[in-house]
Amino acid sequence: MSQVSKILKRDMQLFYNDFDDESIISDKSSEDILVSDFTEYNPLHNGHFHCMKTAKDMFPESLFVAIVPGLFERSGRGIPYILPREIRAEIAISVGADIVVEGPPMGIMGSGQYSLCLCKMFQALNTDYIPRGYKPVEGMDEILKRINLGHHIASKPYKIVDKTTHETILKGKLEEDNYVITSFSNSLSKIGFEYKDKFIFVKRIEGVSGTLIRESILDDNFDNVLDMMPKKTIDVLKREIQNDGIIYGIRDEEAILNTANNFSLKELSNLNLFNEKLAINIIENRPYNDILTLEKSIQQGFSSHFKQRVLSILENPIPKKVISHYIDKYPSNIRVLGYKNKETLEKFKEKVNNENISLLRV
């Protein structure tokens, strides 16, 4: 069994354990300040480090908690991460994070679903401040100002609206990082989390290219990206390349083909983000002997990454009703992926609003 297959098998068990569990709400919380950041760290680069350092400089005595997407190791685009989350957590702790916790399974959820889960995690952590990188574009300053006033900002088709004042404050679409901010505002408002003055907006730095970083990893040549990442990130990447620990682009092809070739119309239609049209299309073109043929048979969806998200769902076939119930209960458990020391871990346990706290067992 490959490393990826082992990870996915373990994570499916963790998913259903969480599905069956109930959160135990703590009746007390410490006065420690907790700064909570959601970041994929895929891998951790200077932009991530700048955002972390800015928040830590503002609140030097705080607990800095990084929420790193977890189960099934697929991004919101459905693409496998570069490193497993426990390794991403190792890097985060080494450059300054106090605690790293596991976030929701992004790759098998819609963007609204995982945004809601992330915001429920902010709430469960008793988060005091949320640092967030943004790209300065026309109209963004007004959006950020209103969010820090506590206004309910939401993205609608081709416009951004202030649902508190019922105004359209920007026409058009936002780029990904800026879109995430409005998505958080919308989801935090839905769960009743008071976020006035809680966001720390950090302007994105220049000179970091995710494309060049990924190419350097695949080529095992970091000469062109040495100034884009902390040294610890590069050291760990080199170590994992030597240990065959890079999982970027690697899938459990046997599991994907098994689902695509053997699931019934009803079973496929009931998968998260699937509908009957997509299920019929997959069935009409089977059997499949390889992933490339299957990918070609999937019609283009609502985003450029739709096909990759479909592959991730076929790889980890979970019905949409199960996902819905999982979201309702999220987070039933808070899994710690890494921590600075035992004293920090105990302070974290005293702060958060959930007594189901465990360590990821590898």
Side-chain angles (χ1 to χ4, degrees), residues 142-191:
E142 180 65 20
I143 291 172
L144 301 183
K145 183 184 80 174
R146 292 185 183 225
I147 288 175
N148 262 344
L149 287 172
H151 288 209
H152 180 180
I153 307 300
S155 295
K156 299 292 183 180
Y158 302 104
K159 63 181 179 180
I160 309 300
V161 300
D162 184 332
K163 298 183 76 171
T164 301
T165 63
H166 308 289
E167 297 174 87
T168 296
I169 53 177
L170 184 70
K171 292 184 178 180
K173 299 173 71 174
L174 292 174
E175 295 186 33
E176 187 171 350
D177 284 354
N178 292 349
Y179 171 82
V180 168
I181 292 171
T182 60
S183 180
F184 280 173
S185 171
N186 190 41
S187 296
L188 288 168
S189 297
K190 286 181 177 179
I191 64 174

Short mmCIF file of all heavy atoms in Angstrom, two decimals, residues 142-191:
data_model
loop_
_atom_site.label_atom_id
_atom_site.label_comp_id
_atom_site.label_asym_id
_atom_site.label_seq_id
_atom_site.Cartn_x
_atom_site.Cartn_y
_atom_site.Cartn_z
N GLU A 142 -12.40 49.61 1.49
CA GLU A 142 -13.75 49.83 2.00
C GLU A 142 -14.35 48.54 2.55
O GLU A 142 -15.00 48.53 3.60
CB GLU A 142 -14.65 50.40 0.90
CG GLU A 142 -16.09 50.67 1.32
CD GLU A 142 -16.21 51.77 2.38
OE1 GLU A 142 -15.26 52.57 2.52
OE2 GLU A 142 -17.25 51.83 3.06
N ILE A 143 -14.09 47.43 1.86
CA ILE A 143 -14.58 46.13 2.32
C ILE A 143 -13.96 45.79 3.68
O ILE A 143 -14.66 45.38 4.61
CB ILE A 143 -14.25 45.04 1.28
CG1 ILE A 143 -15.09 45.24 0.02
CG2 ILE A 143 -14.50 43.64 1.87
CD1 ILE A 143 -14.70 44.32 -1.12
N LEU A 144 -12.64 45.97 3.80
CA LEU A 144 -11.95 45.64 5.05
C LEU A 144 -12.43 46.53 6.19
O LEU A 144 -12.60 46.06 7.32
CB LEU A 144 -10.44 45.77 4.86
CG LEU A 144 -9.79 44.90 3.77
CD1 LEU A 144 -8.28 45.09 3.77
CD2 LEU A 144 -10.15 43.44 3.95
N LYS A 145 -12.64 47.82 5.89
CA LYS A 145 -13.11 48.75 6.93
C LYS A 145 -14.46 48.29 7.47
O LYS A 145 -14.68 48.26 8.68
CB LYS A 145 -13.23 50.16 6.34
CG LYS A 145 -13.65 51.21 7.37
CD LYS A 145 -13.85 52.57 6.74
CE LYS A 145 -15.20 52.64 6.04
NZ LYS A 145 -15.49 54.01 5.53
N ARG A 146 -15.36 47.91 6.58
CA ARG A 146 -16.71 47.50 7.00
C ARG A 146 -16.68 46.18 7.78
O ARG A 146 -17.43 46.02 8.74
CB ARG A 146 -17.63 47.39 5.79
CG ARG A 146 -17.92 48.75 5.15
CD ARG A 146 -18.93 48.63 4.04
NE ARG A 146 -19.15 49.90 3.36
CZ ARG A 146 -20.35 50.39 3.05
NH1 ARG A 146 -21.45 49.70 3.36
NH2 ARG A 146 -20.46 51.53 2.42
N ILE A 147 -15.81 45.27 7.37
CA ILE A 147 -15.71 44.00 8.11
C ILE A 147 -15.24 44.27 9.53
O ILE A 147 -15.78 43.70 10.49
CB ILE A 147 -14.76 43.03 7.37
CG1 ILE A 147 -15.43 42.50 6.10
CG2 ILE A 147 -14.36 41.86 8.29
CD1 ILE A 147 -14.54 41.63 5.24
N ASN A 148 -14.26 45.15 9.70
CA ASN A 148 -13.78 45.42 11.06
C ASN A 148 -14.73 46.31 11.85
O ASN A 148 -14.55 46.49 13.06
CB ASN A 148 -12.37 46.01 11.03
CG ASN A 148 -11.32 44.94 11.29
OD1 ASN A 148 -11.64 43.85 11.77
ND2 ASN A 148 -10.07 45.24 10.99
N LEU A 149 -15.77 46.83 11.19
CA LEU A 149 -16.88 47.47 11.91
C LEU A 149 -17.91 46.43 12.34
O LEU A 149 -18.88 46.76 13.03
CB LEU A 149 -17.54 48.53 11.03
CG LEU A 149 -16.75 49.83 10.81
CD1 LEU A 149 -17.45 50.69 9.76
CD2 LEU A 149 -16.60 50.59 12.12
N GLY A 150 -17.70 45.18 11.91
CA GLY A 150 -18.63 44.11 12.26
C GLY A 150 -19.75 43.92 11.27
O GLY A 150 -20.70 43.17 11.53
N HIS A 151 -19.67 44.57 10.09
CA HIS A 151 -20.73 44.43 9.09
C HIS A 151 -20.69 43.04 8.44
O HIS A 151 -19.63 42.44 8.30
CB HIS A 151 -20.57 45.49 8.00
CG HIS A 151 -20.92 46.88 8.45
ND1 HIS A 151 -21.40 47.84 7.60
CD2 HIS A 151 -20.86 47.46 9.67
CE1 HIS A 151 -21.61 48.96 8.28
NE2 HIS A 151 -21.27 48.75 9.54
N HIS A 152 -21.86 42.58 8.05
CA HIS A 152 -22.01 41.29 7.37
C HIS A 152 -21.76 41.51 5.89
O HIS A 152 -22.64 42.00 5.16
CB HIS A 152 -23.41 40.74 7.64
CG HIS A 152 -23.66 39.41 6.99
ND1 HIS A 152 -24.86 38.74 7.11
CD2 HIS A 152 -22.90 38.61 6.20
CE1 HIS A 152 -24.82 37.61 6.44
NE2 HIS A 152 -23.63 37.52 5.88
N ILE A 153 -20.57 41.16 5.41
CA ILE A 153 -20.19 41.32 4.01
C ILE A 153 -20.28 39.97 3.32
O ILE A 153 -19.83 38.96 3.86
CB ILE A 153 -18.77 41.90 3.88
CG1 ILE A 153 -18.63 43.18 4.71
CG2 ILE A 153 -18.42 42.15 2.42
CD1 ILE A 153 -19.57 44.30 4.33
N ALA A 154 -20.85 39.95 2.13
CA ALA A 154 -21.02 38.68 1.42
C ALA A 154 -20.74 38.86 -0.07
O ALA A 154 -21.01 39.92 -0.64
CB ALA A 154 -22.44 38.14 1.62
N SER A 155 -20.19 37.81 -0.67
CA SER A 155 -19.96 37.80 -2.12
C SER A 155 -21.19 37.25 -2.81
O SER A 155 -21.66 36.15 -2.48
CB SER A 155 -18.74 36.93 -2.46
OG SER A 155 -17.56 37.48 -1.91
N LYS A 156 -21.71 37.99 -3.75
CA LYS A 156 -22.80 37.56 -4.61
C LYS A 156 -22.26 37.49 -6.03
O LYS A 156 -21.16 37.97 -6.31
CB LYS A 156 -23.96 38.55 -4.53
CG LYS A 156 -24.55 38.70 -3.13
CD LYS A 156 -25.25 37.44 -2.67
CE LYS A 156 -25.90 37.63 -1.30
NZ LYS A 156 -26.59 36.40 -0.84
N PRO A 157 -23.02 36.89 -6.96
CA PRO A 157 -22.54 36.83 -8.34
C PRO A 157 -22.20 38.23 -8.88
O PRO A 157 -23.07 39.08 -9.00
CB PRO A 157 -23.72 36.20 -9.10
CG PRO A 157 -24.40 35.36 -8.07
CD PRO A 157 -24.29 36.15 -6.79
N TYR A 158 -20.91 38.45 -9.12
CA TYR A 158 -20.39 39.67 -9.73
C TYR A 158 -20.62 40.93 -8.90
O TYR A 158 -20.66 42.03 -9.44
CB TYR A 158 -20.98 39.84 -11.14
CG TYR A 158 -20.68 38.66 -12.03
CD1 TYR A 158 -21.66 37.73 -12.31
CD2 TYR A 158 -19.39 38.46 -12.53
CE1 TYR A 158 -21.39 36.61 -13.10
CE2 TYR A 158 -19.11 37.36 -13.33
CZ TYR A 158 -20.11 36.44 -13.61
OH TYR A 158 -19.81 35.34 -14.38
N LYS A 159 -20.74 40.77 -7.59
CA LYS A 159 -20.80 41.94 -6.72
C LYS A 159 -20.54 41.54 -5.27
O LYS A 159 -20.71 40.37 -4.89
CB LYS A 159 -22.15 42.65 -6.84
CG LYS A 159 -23.34 41.83 -6.39
CD LYS A 159 -24.64 42.62 -6.57
CE LYS A 159 -25.85 41.79 -6.14
NZ LYS A 159 -27.11 42.55 -6.31
N ILE A 160 -20.13 42.53 -4.47
CA ILE A 160 -19.92 42.36 -3.04
C ILE A 160 -20.93 43.25 -2.33
O ILE A 160 -21.03 44.44 -2.63
CB ILE A 160 -18.49 42.74 -2.61
CG1 ILE A 160 -17.45 42.04 -3.50
CG2 ILE A 160 -18.27 42.40 -1.15
CD1 ILE A 160 -17.50 40.54 -3.47
N VAL A 161 -21.68 42.67 -1.40
CA VAL A 161 -22.74 43.42 -0.75
C VAL A 161 -22.51 43.51 0.75
O VAL A 161 -21.92 42.62 1.36
CB VAL A 161 -24.14 42.80 -1.02
CG1 VAL A 161 -24.44 42.78 -2.51
CG2 VAL A 161 -24.23 41.39 -0.44
N ASP A 162 -22.96 44.62 1.31
CA ASP A 162 -22.98 44.82 2.76
C ASP A 162 -24.40 44.50 3.20
O ASP A 162 -25.33 45.29 3.00
CB ASP A 162 -22.61 46.27 3.09
CG ASP A 162 -22.53 46.52 4.59
OD1 ASP A 162 -23.22 45.83 5.35
OD2 ASP A 162 -21.77 47.44 4.99
N LYS A 163 -24.59 43.32 3.81
CA LYS A 163 -25.93 42.89 4.19
C LYS A 163 -26.42 43.61 5.44
O LYS A 163 -27.60 43.53 5.78
CB LYS A 163 -25.95 41.37 4.39
CG LYS A 163 -25.60 40.60 3.12
CD LYS A 163 -25.68 39.10 3.29
CE LYS A 163 -27.12 38.62 3.28
NZ LYS A 163 -27.21 37.15 3.23
N THR A 164 -25.51 44.30 6.12
CA THR A 164 -25.91 45.10 7.28
C THR A 164 -26.62 46.38 6.84
O THR A 164 -27.63 46.79 7.41
CB THR A 164 -24.69 45.45 8.15
OG1 THR A 164 -24.06 44.23 8.58
CG2 THR A 164 -25.09 46.26 9.38
N THR A 165 -26.08 47.01 5.79
CA THR A 165 -26.65 48.27 5.30
C THR A 165 -27.44 48.11 4.00
O THR A 165 -28.01 49.07 3.50
CB THR A 165 -25.53 49.31 5.05
OG1 THR A 165 -24.66 48.82 4.01
CG2 THR A 165 -24.73 49.55 6.32
N HIS A 166 -27.41 46.87 3.44
CA HIS A 166 -28.12 46.56 2.19
C HIS A 166 -27.58 47.38 1.02
O HIS A 166 -28.34 47.82 0.16
CB HIS A 166 -29.64 46.79 2.35
CG HIS A 166 -30.23 46.09 3.53
ND1 HIS A 166 -30.38 44.72 3.57
CD2 HIS A 166 -30.68 46.56 4.73
CE1 HIS A 166 -30.92 44.37 4.74
NE2 HIS A 166 -31.09 45.48 5.46
N GLU A 167 -26.25 47.53 0.98
CA GLU A 167 -25.60 48.26 -0.11
C GLU A 167 -24.73 47.31 -0.94
O GLU A 167 -24.17 46.35 -0.42
CB GLU A 167 -24.69 49.36 0.43
CG GLU A 167 -25.36 50.46 1.21
CD GLU A 167 -24.32 51.38 1.82
OE1 GLU A 167 -23.90 52.33 1.12
OE2 GLU A 167 -23.91 51.14 2.97
N THR A 168 -24.63 47.61 -2.22
CA THR A 168 -23.60 46.99 -3.05
C THR A 168 -22.35 47.86 -2.95
O THR A 168 -22.38 49.04 -3.29
CB THR A 168 -24.05 46.89 -4.51
OG1 THR A 168 -25.19 46.03 -4.59
CG2 THR A 168 -22.93 46.35 -5.40
N ILE A 169 -21.26 47.30 -2.44
CA ILE A 169 -20.07 48.12 -2.21
C ILE A 169 -18.97 47.88 -3.24
O ILE A 169 -17.99 48.61 -3.27
CB ILE A 169 -19.51 47.90 -0.78
CG1 ILE A 169 -19.27 46.42 -0.48
CG2 ILE A 169 -20.46 48.50 0.25
CD1 ILE A 169 -18.65 46.18 0.88
N LEU A 170 -19.14 46.85 -4.06
CA LEU A 170 -18.18 46.61 -5.13
C LEU A 170 -18.84 45.76 -6.21
O LEU A 170 -19.52 44.78 -5.90
CB LEU A 170 -16.93 45.88 -4.59
CG LEU A 170 -15.79 45.66 -5.59
CD1 LEU A 170 -15.11 46.99 -5.95
CD2 LEU A 170 -14.75 44.68 -5.04
N LYS A 171 -18.66 46.15 -7.45
CA LYS A 171 -19.16 45.36 -8.57
C LYS A 171 -18.00 44.57 -9.16
O LYS A 171 -16.88 45.05 -9.25
CB LYS A 171 -19.80 46.26 -9.62
CG LYS A 171 -21.09 46.92 -9.15
CD LYS A 171 -21.76 47.73 -10.25
CE LYS A 171 -23.07 48.32 -9.76
NZ LYS A 171 -23.76 49.12 -10.81
N GLY A 172 -18.29 43.34 -9.55
CA GLY A 172 -17.26 42.46 -10.08
C GLY A 172 -16.90 41.36 -9.10
O GLY A 172 -17.55 41.19 -8.06
N LYS A 173 -15.84 40.61 -9.42
CA LYS A 173 -15.42 39.47 -8.60
C LYS A 173 -14.09 39.78 -7.92
O LYS A 173 -13.28 40.56 -8.44
CB LYS A 173 -15.28 38.22 -9.48
CG LYS A 173 -16.58 37.80 -10.17
CD LYS A 173 -16.35 36.67 -11.14
CE LYS A 173 -16.05 35.37 -10.43
NZ LYS A 173 -15.96 34.21 -11.38
N LEU A 174 -13.88 39.15 -6.79
CA LEU A 174 -12.62 39.31 -6.06
C LEU A 174 -11.67 38.15 -6.37
O LEU A 174 -12.11 37.03 -6.63
CB LEU A 174 -12.89 39.35 -4.55
CG LEU A 174 -13.62 40.57 -4.02
CD1 LEU A 174 -13.94 40.38 -2.54
CD2 LEU A 174 -12.80 41.84 -4.21
N GLU A 175 -10.37 38.43 -6.29
CA GLU A 175 -9.39 37.36 -6.41
C GLU A 175 -9.44 36.48 -5.17
O GLU A 175 -10.02 36.84 -4.15
CB GLU A 175 -7.99 37.95 -6.58
CG GLU A 175 -7.82 38.72 -7.88
CD GLU A 175 -6.39 39.18 -8.09
OE1 GLU A 175 -5.46 38.45 -7.66
OE2 GLU A 175 -6.19 40.25 -8.67
N GLU A 176 -8.79 35.32 -5.26
CA GLU A 176 -8.99 34.26 -4.26
C GLU A 176 -8.74 34.70 -2.83
O GLU A 176 -9.59 34.50 -1.95
CB GLU A 176 -8.09 33.07 -4.59
CG GLU A 176 -8.36 31.87 -3.70
CD GLU A 176 -7.63 30.63 -4.17
OE1 GLU A 176 -7.08 30.64 -5.29
OE2 GLU A 176 -7.62 29.64 -3.43
N ASP A 177 -7.59 35.31 -2.53
CA ASP A 177 -7.29 35.69 -1.15
C ASP A 177 -8.32 36.69 -0.60
O ASP A 177 -8.75 36.59 0.55
CB ASP A 177 -5.89 36.30 -1.05
CG ASP A 177 -4.79 35.25 -1.12
OD1 ASP A 177 -5.13 34.06 -1.13
OD2 ASP A 177 -3.61 35.62 -1.16
N ASN A 178 -8.70 37.65 -1.43
CA ASN A 178 -9.68 38.64 -1.01
C ASN A 178 -11.08 38.04 -0.90
O ASN A 178 -11.87 38.41 -0.02
CB ASN A 178 -9.69 39.82 -1.98
CG ASN A 178 -8.40 40.62 -1.92
OD1 ASN A 178 -7.58 40.43 -1.03
ND2 ASN A 178 -8.20 41.52 -2.87
N TYR A 179 -11.38 37.10 -1.77
CA TYR A 179 -12.67 36.42 -1.71
C TYR A 179 -12.81 35.64 -0.40
O TYR A 179 -13.89 35.62 0.20
CB TYR A 179 -12.83 35.46 -2.90
CG TYR A 179 -14.03 34.56 -2.79
CD1 TYR A 179 -15.30 35.01 -3.15
CD2 TYR A 179 -13.91 33.25 -2.32
CE1 TYR A 179 -16.41 34.19 -3.04
CE2 TYR A 179 -15.01 32.43 -2.20
CZ TYR A 179 -16.25 32.90 -2.56
OH TYR A 179 -17.35 32.08 -2.44
N VAL A 180 -11.72 35.02 0.04
CA VAL A 180 -11.77 34.25 1.29
C VAL A 180 -12.18 35.14 2.46
O VAL A 180 -12.93 34.73 3.35
CB VAL A 180 -10.40 33.57 1.56
CG1 VAL A 180 -10.34 33.03 2.98
CG2 VAL A 180 -10.16 32.44 0.56
N ILE A 181 -11.71 36.38 2.46
CA ILE A 181 -12.04 37.31 3.55
C ILE A 181 -13.54 37.57 3.60
O ILE A 181 -14.16 37.52 4.67
CB ILE A 181 -11.26 38.62 3.38
CG1 ILE A 181 -9.76 38.38 3.61
CG2 ILE A 181 -11.77 39.69 4.36
CD1 ILE A 181 -8.89 39.57 3.26
N THR A 182 -14.15 37.84 2.46
CA THR A 182 -15.60 38.08 2.44
C THR A 182 -16.37 36.80 2.77
O THR A 182 -17.42 36.85 3.40
CB THR A 182 -16.06 38.63 1.08
OG1 THR A 182 -15.75 37.70 0.05
CG2 THR A 182 -15.38 39.95 0.78
N SER A 183 -15.82 35.67 2.37
CA SER A 183 -16.46 34.39 2.69
C SER A 183 -16.46 34.16 4.20
O SER A 183 -17.45 33.69 4.77
CB SER A 183 -15.73 33.24 1.98
OG SER A 183 -16.33 32.00 2.26
N PHE A 184 -15.33 34.50 4.86
CA PHE A 184 -15.27 34.38 6.32
C PHE A 184 -16.29 35.30 6.98
O PHE A 184 -16.97 34.91 7.93
CB PHE A 184 -13.87 34.72 6.82
CG PHE A 184 -12.86 33.61 6.68
CD1 PHE A 184 -11.53 33.82 6.96
CD2 PHE A 184 -13.24 32.34 6.28
CE1 PHE A 184 -10.60 32.80 6.85
CE2 PHE A 184 -12.33 31.32 6.16
CZ PHE A 184 -11.00 31.55 6.44
N SER A 185 -16.39 36.54 6.50
CA SER A 185 -17.37 37.47 7.07
C SER A 185 -18.77 36.91 6.96
O SER A 185 -19.56 36.97 7.92
CB SER A 185 -17.28 38.82 6.34
OG SER A 185 -18.34 39.68 6.72
N ASN A 186 -19.08 36.35 5.81
CA ASN A 186 -20.42 35.79 5.59
C ASN A 186 -20.68 34.61 6.52
O ASN A 186 -21.73 34.52 7.16
CB ASN A 186 -20.55 35.36 4.13
CG ASN A 186 -21.96 34.99 3.75
OD1 ASN A 186 -22.93 35.65 4.15
ND2 ASN A 186 -22.11 33.93 2.98
N SER A 187 -19.71 33.69 6.62
CA SER A 187 -19.89 32.49 7.45
C SER A 187 -19.90 32.83 8.94
O SER A 187 -20.68 32.26 9.71
CB SER A 187 -18.79 31.47 7.14
OG SER A 187 -18.88 31.01 5.81
N LEU A 188 -19.02 33.74 9.37
CA LEU A 188 -19.00 34.13 10.78
C LEU A 188 -20.31 34.78 11.18
O LEU A 188 -20.82 34.58 12.29
CB LEU A 188 -17.84 35.10 11.04
CG LEU A 188 -16.43 34.49 11.02
CD1 LEU A 188 -15.38 35.59 10.99
CD2 LEU A 188 -16.20 33.57 12.21
N SER A 189 -20.90 35.56 10.26
CA SER A 189 -22.20 36.17 10.55
C SER A 189 -23.28 35.12 10.69
O SER A 189 -24.16 35.21 11.55
CB SER A 189 -22.57 37.16 9.42
OG SER A 189 -21.65 38.23 9.36
N LYS A 190 -23.22 34.09 9.85
CA LYS A 190 -24.23 33.03 9.88
C LYS A 190 -24.23 32.28 11.21
O LYS A 190 -25.28 31.83 11.67
CB LYS A 190 -24.01 32.06 8.73
CG LYS A 190 -24.41 32.60 7.37
CD LYS A 190 -24.18 31.57 6.28
CE LYS A 190 -24.65 32.06 4.92
NZ LYS A 190 -24.40 31.05 3.85
N ILE A 191 -23.03 32.10 11.81
CA ILE A 191 -22.98 31.33 13.06
C ILE A 191 -23.05 32.25 14.28
O ILE A 191 -22.96 31.77 15.42
CB ILE A 191 -21.71 30.45 13.13
CG1 ILE A 191 -20.44 31.31 13.16
CG2 ILE A 191 -21.68 29.46 11.98
CD1 ILE A 191 -19.16 30.50 13.38
#
